[in-house]
Amino acid sequence: MPVLEVHKMSHNFGGLRAVNGYHLEIDAGQIRGLIGPNGAGKTTIFNLISGIYAPMEGEVLLNGQKVNGLPSHRIASMGISRTFQNLLLWRHMTVLEHVKMAHYSRIRYGLVGAFFGTRKRRREEEEIEGRALELLDMMGIRHLANQVVLNLPYGAQRRVEMARALATEPKVLLLDEPTAGMNPEELVQIMEIIRRAHREFGLAILLIEHRLKVVMELCERIQTLNFGEVIAEGTPEEIQNDPKVIDAYLGKESVI
Amino acid sequence: MASTTTFRTFRAGWSRVPLIGWFFGALLAVTLERLVGNPLALAVGLPKIPALFGLDIMLKKPLLIPNAVLYVLLIYGLPMGIATRASIAPANRLATGLFRLPIVVTTVVYIGFLYAILHVWAEVNDYRALVLKLTLIAIMFTLSLNVINGYMGEFSCSHPGFMALGAYCASVFSLGLFVDNRFFGTALLPPALGPFLFPVALVLGGILAAAGALIVAVPSFRTRGDYLAIISLAFLFIVKSLIENLEYVRGPRGLSGQPDLASLPTVFLWTVACIWSINNFVRSTIGKALNAVRDNEMAASAMTVNTRRTKMVAFLFSAFWAGIAGGLFAHVLRYVNPGTFGIQTLAEVLAMVYFGGLNSVYGSIVGAVSISLLGEALRPLEIFKWIIIPLLLILVMIYRPTGLIAFKDVDVTALFRPKTGPGDEV
Ligand SMILES: Nc1ncnc2c1ncn2[C@@H]1O[C@H](COP(=O)(O)OP(=O)(O)OP(=O)(O)O)[C@@H](O)[C@H]1O
Ligand SMILES: [Mg+2]
């Protein structure tokens, strides 16, 4: 059974049909790509799946369970995590605090622990911190643990976002242009990190990406979106040779 | 050359004084004042011991400023300086010993020590005791506002309203139960029970304030920023006019004659409890969720943070402590009227929060203490006080927009650590 299913999902913004009849089935351990020109509706699809907006039509099923309509923090704690295209970090918090925060839904000490600093709280906070540090190790940013994110270079901020997304212990990870604004060297590193996360956690990953080189290399199957609709779906080779894709997408942008 | 190096070693010496060393010095100074303060004051040409380090007479009798400075140097500066410097080694040994004890015991010892200093200092005259109590209450009030305005980044104008709810609830409780009076008839319980049931009165006040906070917390789910600030301001006016028109609590005339239950140790202990629980809260991951909601709410909820719960907890918790502060305030002054909880109180507490520092426990303490002392110093200027304090606020906002000590919570282990040498951890 697919871990994430989306059926006939549609959404309007005023008169604009931003997403129309979107369909997706993704199994655990698969990496899928989502490409399309600017304004095609890719980010909106992520926002709908992760519950930032409730889709107007259609269904989102996580392990067969309906999640559309739930508040986004519930969907996140059930196992759909994401990163943001334009880096939504908490500017006054440290790297370690970011990753600890993503454990929020698993905290059991409650308000009593928060107000009175019980032993249970101390134990749990230590546990969370341990796991957060492991993730920072994996991302290669442990040495930045106590830095405020505002001062970090762009590549490091991207890694913080990735670590934070993984800390929710997701089953499905939605990555919205994780390589945006990176130089070739950083690009290779972030691709390695995506592969590692995929290998170690057995995640299903849905990847939005502008650089075709990255999608072609990472993804087993790719969907192409234009004006909110999937116009082509298939393996990287099929997509590369599909005339509709070339027309909508490849024709307009230089292939990197 | 030689003189600069000696100066540097002299200065470096202070950094080796552990907290307990400072406490010793302070205790010595206040004890000395108790013993020889009066004759010394006369000797340096002051009519009596300057109550607030000379700040209180600064404007009334400016000619006496040099005398007051001399007095402060002789009674506080010199003895403290000498005692702390001379006792660095034994103080560090003691600090090391205390540091090995369970943290609870260590904390209790330090707090007891601090109380002893304040107690001896405040015993000199009633004015001092009153200012000290009001300052402690201001600390609680400032800290509670900082939870919303600093940690959560909303702009709450409703806090004087929460304080009023706490003040009136606790007053009705204690006046009704322990005092024969015109408003509520004869006492229902023997007044001797008062001190034991006073915490109940305060907590009820805190709970009422928290219940009132629902009116601001629920809209905060949908609205933020300016709109929420206006809602909270509306709440303040609602509470104020409600009390003004409630004949049961004597409307604008206010309630008076509250039993004398807010002694210095009581106020001190409640302040400690307030600082302790708020500091605990903001250092926990649940409390850090306030910062996440402030800095980016969408990212917070995508990272599993329940933002509604976070806002609700922040408002109720913060209002609870504002309510406790209100109950204590009513019993320190033994009089409340609705006029106390208006725009001016709001301006004052905002000044304390923003001057001291946002998102900061230390900042709230520093802000509350300095603005309280400044307020006392400027008292002779009456209404001009309300030009100088806002002016100060404007300057702070221009030169240090986040306040004096922003982003600093209390870490007790760092605070109590002995200072035996650089990098010399125990
Ligand atoms: N909250 C919103 N309100 C109104 N319109 C929106 C909103 N979010 C997105 N849109 C519109 O929906 C369309 C799809 O936007 P979306 O951000 O999903 O595109 P995208 O494929 O992610 O593009 P890009 O490659 O530039 O990130 C755009 O026309 C956009 O203007
Ligand atoms: Mg996008």
Side-chain angles (χ1 to χ4, degrees), chain A residues 72-73 76 82 88 90 92 97 101 104-105 109 114-115 121 125, chain B residues 276 280-281 284-285 288-289 292 295-296 299 301-305 309:
Chain A
S72 65
H73 70 90
R82 68 173 293 181
L88 301 184
W90 300 303
H92 297 292
E97 283 168 357
M101 184 54 64
Y104 182 93
S105 68
Y109 57 74
F115 296 153
R121 165 208 170 145
E125 290 276 356
Chain B
W276 177 70
N280 271 336
F281 179 59
S284 72
T285 299
K288 288 260 192 270
D295 289 349
N296 197 304
S301 63
M303 293 303 124
T304 75
V305 174
R309 172 181 182 237

PDB file of all heavy atoms in Angstrom, chain A residues 72-73 76 82 88 90 92 97 101 104-105 109 114-115 121 125, chain B residues 276 280-281 284-285 288-289 292 295-296 299 301-305 309:
ATOM      1  N   SER A  72      -2.441  21.654  10.481  1.00  0.00           N
ATOM      2  CA  SER A  72      -1.160  21.220   9.918  1.00  0.00           C
ATOM      3  C   SER A  72      -0.241  20.598  10.966  1.00  0.00           C
ATOM      4  O   SER A  72       0.545  19.717  10.650  1.00  0.00           O
ATOM      5  CB  SER A  72      -0.472  22.363   9.188  1.00  0.00           C
ATOM      6  OG  SER A  72      -0.121  23.373  10.082  1.00  0.00           O
ATOM      7  N   HIS A  73      -0.343  21.032  12.231  1.00  0.00           N
ATOM      8  CA  HIS A  73       0.553  20.415  13.217  1.00  0.00           C
ATOM      9  C   HIS A  73       0.182  18.955  13.460  1.00  0.00           C
ATOM     10  O   HIS A  73       1.049  18.123  13.735  1.00  0.00           O
ATOM     11  CB  HIS A  73       0.543  21.212  14.531  1.00  0.00           C
ATOM     12  CG  HIS A  73      -0.716  21.119  15.316  1.00  0.00           C
ATOM     13  ND1 HIS A  73      -0.939  20.164  16.274  1.00  0.00           N
ATOM     14  CD2 HIS A  73      -1.851  21.857  15.269  1.00  0.00           C
ATOM     15  CE1 HIS A  73      -2.142  20.321  16.790  1.00  0.00           C
ATOM     16  NE2 HIS A  73      -2.720  21.343  16.201  1.00  0.00           N
ATOM     17  N   ALA A  76       1.573  17.044  10.511  1.00  0.00           N
ATOM     18  CA  ALA A  76       3.026  16.923  10.677  1.00  0.00           C
ATOM     19  C   ALA A  76       3.359  15.843  11.694  1.00  0.00           C
ATOM     20  O   ALA A  76       4.259  15.028  11.478  1.00  0.00           O
ATOM     21  CB  ALA A  76       3.611  18.262  11.113  1.00  0.00           C
ATOM     22  N   ARG A  82       8.139  18.711   5.979  1.00  0.00           N
ATOM     23  CA  ARG A  82       8.467  19.470   4.773  1.00  0.00           C
ATOM     24  C   ARG A  82       9.541  20.517   5.035  1.00  0.00           C
ATOM     25  O   ARG A  82       9.833  20.866   6.167  1.00  0.00           O
ATOM     26  CB  ARG A  82       7.222  20.165   4.255  1.00  0.00           C
ATOM     27  CG  ARG A  82       6.752  21.258   5.202  1.00  0.00           C
ATOM     28  CD  ARG A  82       5.635  22.055   4.602  1.00  0.00           C
ATOM     29  NE  ARG A  82       6.111  22.834   3.454  1.00  0.00           N
ATOM     30  CZ  ARG A  82       5.331  23.640   2.751  1.00  0.00           C
ATOM     31  NH1 ARG A  82       4.050  23.774   3.052  1.00  0.00           N
ATOM     32  NH2 ARG A  82       5.824  24.311   1.745  1.00  0.00           N
ATOM     33  N   LEU A  88      11.888  29.104   5.960  1.00  0.00           N
ATOM     34  CA  LEU A  88      11.185  29.703   7.086  1.00  0.00           C
ATOM     35  C   LEU A  88      11.817  29.228   8.391  1.00  0.00           C
ATOM     36  O   LEU A  88      11.328  28.321   9.037  1.00  0.00           O
ATOM     37  CB  LEU A  88       9.700  29.344   7.050  1.00  0.00           C
ATOM     38  CG  LEU A  88       8.962  29.776   5.789  1.00  0.00           C
ATOM     39  CD1 LEU A  88       7.481  29.457   5.909  1.00  0.00           C
ATOM     40  CD2 LEU A  88       9.140  31.261   5.530  1.00  0.00           C
ATOM     41  N   TRP A  90      13.395  30.190  12.364  1.00  0.00           N
ATOM     42  CA  TRP A  90      13.035  31.082  13.473  1.00  0.00           C
ATOM     43  C   TRP A  90      14.255  31.918  13.801  1.00  0.00           C
ATOM     44  O   TRP A  90      15.226  31.432  14.383  1.00  0.00           O
ATOM     45  CB  TRP A  90      12.570  30.239  14.668  1.00  0.00           C
ATOM     46  CG  TRP A  90      11.389  29.405  14.339  1.00  0.00           C
ATOM     47  CD1 TRP A  90      10.182  29.846  13.870  1.00  0.00           C
ATOM     48  CD2 TRP A  90      11.265  27.973  14.430  1.00  0.00           C
ATOM     49  NE1 TRP A  90       9.334  28.789  13.660  1.00  0.00           N
ATOM     50  CE2 TRP A  90       9.964  27.635  13.996  1.00  0.00           C
ATOM     51  CE3 TRP A  90      12.120  26.960  14.836  1.00  0.00           C
ATOM     52  CZ2 TRP A  90       9.505  26.322  13.975  1.00  0.00           C
ATOM     53  CZ3 TRP A  90      11.662  25.646  14.811  1.00  0.00           C
ATOM     54  CH2 TRP A  90      10.373  25.348  14.385  1.00  0.00           C
ATOM     55  N   HIS A  92      15.449  34.087  15.818  1.00  0.00           N
ATOM     56  CA  HIS A  92      16.141  34.310  17.085  1.00  0.00           C
ATOM     57  C   HIS A  92      16.529  33.020  17.792  1.00  0.00           C
ATOM     58  O   HIS A  92      17.014  33.051  18.912  1.00  0.00           O
ATOM     59  CB  HIS A  92      15.277  35.146  18.020  1.00  0.00           C
ATOM     60  CG  HIS A  92      15.002  36.518  17.496  1.00  0.00           C
ATOM     61  ND1 HIS A  92      15.980  37.467  17.381  1.00  0.00           N
ATOM     62  CD2 HIS A  92      13.878  37.089  17.024  1.00  0.00           C
ATOM     63  CE1 HIS A  92      15.466  38.579  16.883  1.00  0.00           C
ATOM     64  NE2 HIS A  92      14.190  38.373  16.649  1.00  0.00           N
ATOM     65  N   GLU A  97      18.098  24.513  19.023  1.00  0.00           N
ATOM     66  CA  GLU A  97      16.704  24.754  19.419  1.00  0.00           C
ATOM     67  C   GLU A  97      15.732  24.469  18.277  1.00  0.00           C
ATOM     68  O   GLU A  97      14.625  23.979  18.504  1.00  0.00           O
ATOM     69  CB  GLU A  97      16.533  26.203  19.894  1.00  0.00           C
ATOM     70  CG  GLU A  97      17.056  26.435  21.301  1.00  0.00           C
ATOM     71  CD  GLU A  97      17.171  27.907  21.675  1.00  0.00           C
ATOM     72  OE1 GLU A  97      16.898  28.775  20.825  1.00  0.00           O
ATOM     73  OE2 GLU A  97      17.551  28.186  22.817  1.00  0.00           O
ATOM     74  N   MET A 101      12.874  21.741  18.709  1.00  0.00           N
ATOM     75  CA  MET A 101      11.479  22.176  18.590  1.00  0.00           C
ATOM     76  C   MET A 101      10.645  21.207  17.759  1.00  0.00           C
ATOM     77  O   MET A 101       9.473  20.993  18.036  1.00  0.00           O
ATOM     78  CB  MET A 101      11.456  23.574  17.957  1.00  0.00           C
ATOM     79  CG  MET A 101      10.096  24.218  17.849  1.00  0.00           C
ATOM     80  SD  MET A 101       9.229  24.296  19.401  1.00  0.00           S
ATOM     81  CE  MET A 101      10.284  25.377  20.316  1.00  0.00           C
ATOM     82  N   TYR A 104       8.400  18.575  19.261  1.00  0.00           N
ATOM     83  CA  TYR A 104       7.306  19.070  20.109  1.00  0.00           C
ATOM     84  C   TYR A 104       6.186  18.054  20.352  1.00  0.00           C
ATOM     85  O   TYR A 104       5.776  17.833  21.480  1.00  0.00           O
ATOM     86  CB  TYR A 104       6.726  20.331  19.474  1.00  0.00           C
ATOM     87  CG  TYR A 104       5.620  20.983  20.261  1.00  0.00           C
ATOM     88  CD1 TYR A 104       5.889  21.990  21.172  1.00  0.00           C
ATOM     89  CD2 TYR A 104       4.290  20.598  20.089  1.00  0.00           C
ATOM     90  CE1 TYR A 104       4.899  22.605  21.883  1.00  0.00           C
ATOM     91  CE2 TYR A 104       3.278  21.199  20.811  1.00  0.00           C
ATOM     92  CZ  TYR A 104       3.584  22.202  21.705  1.00  0.00           C
ATOM     93  OH  TYR A 104       2.584  22.791  22.414  1.00  0.00           O
ATOM     94  N   SER A 105       5.731  17.419  19.274  1.00  0.00           N
ATOM     95  CA  SER A 105       4.549  16.562  19.434  1.00  0.00           C
ATOM     96  C   SER A 105       4.846  15.320  20.263  1.00  0.00           C
ATOM     97  O   SER A 105       3.935  14.658  20.724  1.00  0.00           O
ATOM     98  CB  SER A 105       4.010  16.141  18.067  1.00  0.00           C
ATOM     99  OG  SER A 105       4.941  15.280  17.452  1.00  0.00           O
ATOM    100  N   TYR A 109       6.147  15.497  28.995  1.00  0.00           N
ATOM    101  CA  TYR A 109       6.178  16.037  30.362  1.00  0.00           C
ATOM    102  C   TYR A 109       5.084  17.068  30.631  1.00  0.00           C
ATOM    103  O   TYR A 109       4.779  17.365  31.773  1.00  0.00           O
ATOM    104  CB  TYR A 109       7.562  16.571  30.728  1.00  0.00           C
ATOM    105  CG  TYR A 109       8.143  17.644  29.839  1.00  0.00           C
ATOM    106  CD1 TYR A 109       7.669  18.939  29.879  1.00  0.00           C
ATOM    107  CD2 TYR A 109       9.208  17.364  28.989  1.00  0.00           C
ATOM    108  CE1 TYR A 109       8.220  19.933  29.083  1.00  0.00           C
ATOM    109  CE2 TYR A 109       9.774  18.345  28.187  1.00  0.00           C
ATOM    110  CZ  TYR A 109       9.269  19.629  28.236  1.00  0.00           C
ATOM    111  OH  TYR A 109       9.822  20.604  27.454  1.00  0.00           O
ATOM    112  N   ALA A 114       6.849  21.696  32.313  1.00  0.00           N
ATOM    113  CA  ALA A 114       7.325  22.976  31.791  1.00  0.00           C
ATOM    114  C   ALA A 114       7.397  24.028  32.897  1.00  0.00           C
ATOM    115  O   ALA A 114       8.346  24.791  32.976  1.00  0.00           O
ATOM    116  CB  ALA A 114       6.412  23.458  30.663  1.00  0.00           C
ATOM    117  N   PHE A 115       6.398  24.068  33.759  1.00  0.00           N
ATOM    118  CA  PHE A 115       6.369  25.095  34.811  1.00  0.00           C
ATOM    119  C   PHE A 115       7.295  24.757  35.984  1.00  0.00           C
ATOM    120  O   PHE A 115       7.919  25.635  36.559  1.00  0.00           O
ATOM    121  CB  PHE A 115       4.954  25.285  35.362  1.00  0.00           C
ATOM    122  CG  PHE A 115       3.969  25.803  34.353  1.00  0.00           C
ATOM    123  CD1 PHE A 115       2.619  25.522  34.466  1.00  0.00           C
ATOM    124  CD2 PHE A 115       4.399  26.581  33.285  1.00  0.00           C
ATOM    125  CE1 PHE A 115       1.719  26.001  33.529  1.00  0.00           C
ATOM    126  CE2 PHE A 115       3.505  27.061  32.346  1.00  0.00           C
ATOM    127  CZ  PHE A 115       2.157  26.762  32.470  1.00  0.00           C
ATOM    128  N   ARG A 121      10.921  15.913  32.994  1.00  0.00           N
ATOM    129  CA  ARG A 121      11.212  16.893  31.956  1.00  0.00           C
ATOM    130  C   ARG A 121      12.694  16.915  31.633  1.00  0.00           C
ATOM    131  O   ARG A 121      13.093  16.922  30.475  1.00  0.00           O
ATOM    132  CB  ARG A 121      10.772  18.273  32.420  1.00  0.00           C
ATOM    133  CG  ARG A 121      11.364  19.378  31.555  1.00  0.00           C
ATOM    134  CD  ARG A 121      11.507  20.620  32.364  1.00  0.00           C
ATOM    135  NE  ARG A 121      12.261  21.652  31.714  1.00  0.00           N
ATOM    136  CZ  ARG A 121      11.985  22.941  31.849  1.00  0.00           C
ATOM    137  NH1 ARG A 121      10.951  23.311  32.563  1.00  0.00           N
ATOM    138  NH2 ARG A 121      12.740  23.829  31.286  1.00  0.00           N
ATOM    139  N   GLU A 125      14.101  16.206  27.977  1.00  0.00           N
ATOM    140  CA  GLU A 125      14.838  17.249  27.243  1.00  0.00           C
ATOM    141  C   GLU A 125      16.225  16.743  26.857  1.00  0.00           C
ATOM    142  O   GLU A 125      16.723  17.043  25.773  1.00  0.00           O
ATOM    143  CB  GLU A 125      14.951  18.523  28.083  1.00  0.00           C
ATOM    144  CG  GLU A 125      13.632  19.269  28.274  1.00  0.00           C
ATOM    145  CD  GLU A 125      13.283  20.210  27.111  1.00  0.00           C
ATOM    146  OE1 GLU A 125      14.089  20.352  26.194  1.00  0.00           O
ATOM    147  OE2 GLU A 125      12.172  20.770  27.146  1.00  0.00           O
TER     148      GLU A 125
ATOM    149  N   TRP B 276      10.917  31.751  39.106  1.00  0.00           N
ATOM    150  CA  TRP B 276      11.301  30.349  38.932  1.00  0.00           C
ATOM    151  C   TRP B 276      10.417  29.676  37.885  1.00  0.00           C
ATOM    152  O   TRP B 276      10.909  29.035  36.955  1.00  0.00           O
ATOM    153  CB  TRP B 276      11.196  29.646  40.286  1.00  0.00           C
ATOM    154  CG  TRP B 276      11.483  28.184  40.259  1.00  0.00           C
ATOM    155  CD1 TRP B 276      12.692  27.594  40.048  1.00  0.00           C
ATOM    156  CD2 TRP B 276      10.544  27.124  40.457  1.00  0.00           C
ATOM    157  NE1 TRP B 276      12.564  26.232  40.102  1.00  0.00           N
ATOM    158  CE2 TRP B 276      11.260  25.924  40.352  1.00  0.00           C
ATOM    159  CE3 TRP B 276       9.178  27.087  40.718  1.00  0.00           C
ATOM    160  CZ2 TRP B 276      10.646  24.678  40.494  1.00  0.00           C
ATOM    161  CZ3 TRP B 276       8.562  25.860  40.858  1.00  0.00           C
ATOM    162  CH2 TRP B 276       9.295  24.669  40.752  1.00  0.00           C
ATOM    163  N   ASN B 280      11.578  28.514  34.199  1.00  0.00           N
ATOM    164  CA  ASN B 280      11.445  27.112  33.818  1.00  0.00           C
ATOM    165  C   ASN B 280      10.711  26.977  32.504  1.00  0.00           C
ATOM    166  O   ASN B 280      11.123  26.244  31.606  1.00  0.00           O
ATOM    167  CB  ASN B 280      10.609  26.353  34.865  1.00  0.00           C
ATOM    168  CG  ASN B 280      11.469  25.801  35.963  1.00  0.00           C
ATOM    169  OD1 ASN B 280      12.657  25.577  35.773  1.00  0.00           O
ATOM    170  ND2 ASN B 280      10.873  25.589  37.109  1.00  0.00           N
ATOM    171  N   PHE B 281       9.601  27.694  32.427  1.00  0.00           N
ATOM    172  CA  PHE B 281       8.729  27.583  31.262  1.00  0.00           C
ATOM    173  C   PHE B 281       9.455  28.012  29.989  1.00  0.00           C
ATOM    174  O   PHE B 281       9.495  27.263  29.017  1.00  0.00           O
ATOM    175  CB  PHE B 281       7.481  28.431  31.493  1.00  0.00           C
ATOM    176  CG  PHE B 281       6.521  28.423  30.340  1.00  0.00           C
ATOM    177  CD1 PHE B 281       5.970  27.243  29.882  1.00  0.00           C
ATOM    178  CD2 PHE B 281       6.164  29.607  29.717  1.00  0.00           C
ATOM    179  CE1 PHE B 281       5.077  27.232  28.819  1.00  0.00           C
ATOM    180  CE2 PHE B 281       5.276  29.606  28.657  1.00  0.00           C
ATOM    181  CZ  PHE B 281       4.736  28.423  28.210  1.00  0.00           C
ATOM    182  N   SER B 284      12.001  25.582  28.563  1.00  0.00           N
ATOM    183  CA  SER B 284      11.594  24.262  28.087  1.00  0.00           C
ATOM    184  C   SER B 284      11.251  24.338  26.606  1.00  0.00           C
ATOM    185  O   SER B 284      10.990  25.417  26.072  1.00  0.00           O
ATOM    186  CB  SER B 284      10.378  23.783  28.863  1.00  0.00           C
ATOM    187  OG  SER B 284       9.245  24.520  28.472  1.00  0.00           O
ATOM    188  N   THR B 285      11.241  23.176  25.953  1.00  0.00           N
ATOM    189  CA  THR B 285      10.895  23.179  24.531  1.00  0.00           C
ATOM    190  C   THR B 285       9.448  23.623  24.338  1.00  0.00           C
ATOM    191  O   THR B 285       9.123  24.312  23.369  1.00  0.00           O
ATOM    192  CB  THR B 285      11.136  21.779  23.928  1.00  0.00           C
ATOM    193  OG1 THR B 285      12.527  21.476  24.071  1.00  0.00           O
ATOM    194  CG2 THR B 285      10.794  21.735  22.470  1.00  0.00           C
ATOM    195  N   LYS B 288       9.708  27.273  24.469  1.00  0.00           N
ATOM    196  CA  LYS B 288      10.404  27.816  23.299  1.00  0.00           C
ATOM    197  C   LYS B 288       9.461  27.884  22.103  1.00  0.00           C
ATOM    198  O   LYS B 288       9.711  28.616  21.144  1.00  0.00           O
ATOM    199  CB  LYS B 288      11.608  26.949  22.945  1.00  0.00           C
ATOM    200  CG  LYS B 288      12.765  27.061  23.912  1.00  0.00           C
ATOM    201  CD  LYS B 288      13.842  27.970  23.399  1.00  0.00           C
ATOM    202  CE  LYS B 288      15.106  27.880  24.197  1.00  0.00           C
ATOM    203  NZ  LYS B 288      15.202  28.778  25.315  1.00  0.00           N
ATOM    204  N   ALA B 289       8.373  27.101  22.167  1.00  0.00           N
ATOM    205  CA  ALA B 289       7.393  27.156  21.086  1.00  0.00           C
ATOM    206  C   ALA B 289       6.833  28.574  20.951  1.00  0.00           C
ATOM    207  O   ALA B 289       6.431  28.980  19.871  1.00  0.00           O
ATOM    208  CB  ALA B 289       6.269  26.148  21.336  1.00  0.00           C
ATOM    209  N   ALA B 292       9.008  30.177  18.532  1.00  0.00           N
ATOM    210  CA  ALA B 292       8.781  29.649  17.186  1.00  0.00           C
ATOM    211  C   ALA B 292       7.528  30.285  16.588  1.00  0.00           C
ATOM    212  O   ALA B 292       7.517  30.682  15.423  1.00  0.00           O
ATOM    213  CB  ALA B 292       8.654  28.130  17.226  1.00  0.00           C
ATOM    214  N   ASP B 295       8.471  33.890  15.647  1.00  0.00           N
ATOM    215  CA  ASP B 295       9.362  34.088  14.512  1.00  0.00           C
ATOM    216  C   ASP B 295       8.788  33.571  13.212  1.00  0.00           C
ATOM    217  O   ASP B 295       9.053  34.131  12.158  1.00  0.00           O
ATOM    218  CB  ASP B 295      10.725  33.427  14.782  1.00  0.00           C
ATOM    219  CG  ASP B 295      11.501  34.181  15.845  1.00  0.00           C
ATOM    220  OD1 ASP B 295      11.076  35.293  16.199  1.00  0.00           O
ATOM    221  OD2 ASP B 295      12.517  33.661  16.322  1.00  0.00           O
ATOM    222  N   ASN B 296       8.045  32.485  13.249  1.00  0.00           N
ATOM    223  CA  ASN B 296       7.326  32.042  12.058  1.00  0.00           C
ATOM    224  C   ASN B 296       6.283  31.000  12.420  1.00  0.00           C
ATOM    225  O   ASN B 296       6.597  29.842  12.663  1.00  0.00           O
ATOM    226  CB  ASN B 296       8.275  31.482  11.005  1.00  0.00           C
ATOM    227  CG  ASN B 296       7.583  31.414   9.669  1.00  0.00           C
ATOM    228  OD1 ASN B 296       6.533  30.797   9.542  1.00  0.00           O
ATOM    229  ND2 ASN B 296       8.130  32.066   8.682  1.00  0.00           N
ATOM    230  N   ALA B 299       5.900  27.870   9.966  1.00  0.00           N
ATOM    231  CA  ALA B 299       6.943  26.864  10.161  1.00  0.00           C
ATOM    232  C   ALA B 299       6.716  26.123  11.474  1.00  0.00           C
ATOM    233  O   ALA B 299       6.925  24.912  11.563  1.00  0.00           O
ATOM    234  CB  ALA B 299       8.316  27.517  10.162  1.00  0.00           C
ATOM    235  N   SER B 301       3.879  25.354  12.964  1.00  0.00           N
ATOM    236  CA  SER B 301       2.864  24.306  12.884  1.00  0.00           C
ATOM    237  C   SER B 301       3.303  23.193  11.944  1.00  0.00           C
ATOM    238  O   SER B 301       2.944  22.044  12.149  1.00  0.00           O
ATOM    239  CB  SER B 301       1.508  24.877  12.510  1.00  0.00           C
ATOM    240  OG  SER B 301       1.567  25.456  11.251  1.00  0.00           O
ATOM    241  N   ALA B 302       4.106  23.525  10.930  1.00  0.00           N
ATOM    242  CA  ALA B 302       4.613  22.457  10.061  1.00  0.00           C
ATOM    243  C   ALA B 302       5.599  21.563  10.801  1.00  0.00           C
ATOM    244  O   ALA B 302       5.865  20.447  10.383  1.00  0.00           O
ATOM    245  CB  ALA B 302       5.268  23.052   8.819  1.00  0.00           C
ATOM    246  N   MET B 303       6.155  22.064  11.897  1.00  0.00           N
ATOM    247  CA  MET B 303       7.084  21.263  12.710  1.00  0.00           C
ATOM    248  C   MET B 303       6.375  20.708  13.951  1.00  0.00           C
ATOM    249  O   MET B 303       6.976  20.607  15.015  1.00  0.00           O
ATOM    250  CB  MET B 303       8.305  22.095  13.105  1.00  0.00           C
ATOM    251  CG  MET B 303       9.178  22.459  11.939  1.00  0.00           C
ATOM    252  SD  MET B 303       9.757  21.025  11.033  1.00  0.00           S
ATOM    253  CE  MET B 303       9.197  21.415   9.401  1.00  0.00           C
ATOM    254  N   THR B 304       5.116  20.437  13.836  1.00  0.00           N
ATOM    255  CA  THR B 304       4.270  19.760  14.832  1.00  0.00           C
ATOM    256  C   THR B 304       3.903  20.623  16.049  1.00  0.00           C
ATOM    257  O   THR B 304       3.271  20.135  16.966  1.00  0.00           O
ATOM    258  CB  THR B 304       4.887  18.436  15.375  1.00  0.00           C
ATOM    259  OG1 THR B 304       5.939  18.732  16.293  1.00  0.00           O
ATOM    260  CG2 THR B 304       5.402  17.544  14.276  1.00  0.00           C
ATOM    261  N   VAL B 305       4.253  21.896  16.065  1.00  0.00           N
ATOM    262  CA  VAL B 305       3.896  22.724  17.224  1.00  0.00           C
ATOM    263  C   VAL B 305       2.410  23.097  17.165  1.00  0.00           C
ATOM    264  O   VAL B 305       1.943  23.641  16.164  1.00  0.00           O
ATOM    265  CB  VAL B 305       4.740  24.016  17.259  1.00  0.00           C
ATOM    266  CG1 VAL B 305       4.272  24.934  18.368  1.00  0.00           C
ATOM    267  CG2 VAL B 305       6.206  23.674  17.426  1.00  0.00           C
ATOM    268  N   ARG B 309      -2.629  25.928  21.162  1.00  0.00           N
ATOM    269  CA  ARG B 309      -2.348  25.567  22.548  1.00  0.00           C
ATOM    270  C   ARG B 309      -1.238  26.465  23.099  1.00  0.00           C
ATOM    271  O   ARG B 309      -1.318  26.954  24.226  1.00  0.00           O
ATOM    272  CB  ARG B 309      -1.925  24.104  22.603  1.00  0.00           C
ATOM    273  CG  ARG B 309      -1.425  23.662  23.960  1.00  0.00           C
ATOM    274  CD  ARG B 309      -1.010  22.192  23.882  1.00  0.00           C
ATOM    275  NE  ARG B 309      -0.574  21.704  25.174  1.00  0.00           N
ATOM    276  CZ  ARG B 309       0.639  21.175  25.382  1.00  0.00           C
ATOM    277  NH1 ARG B 309       1.506  21.096  24.403  1.00  0.00           N
ATOM    278  NH2 ARG B 309       0.960  20.725  26.571  1.00  0.00           N
TER     279      ARG B 309
END
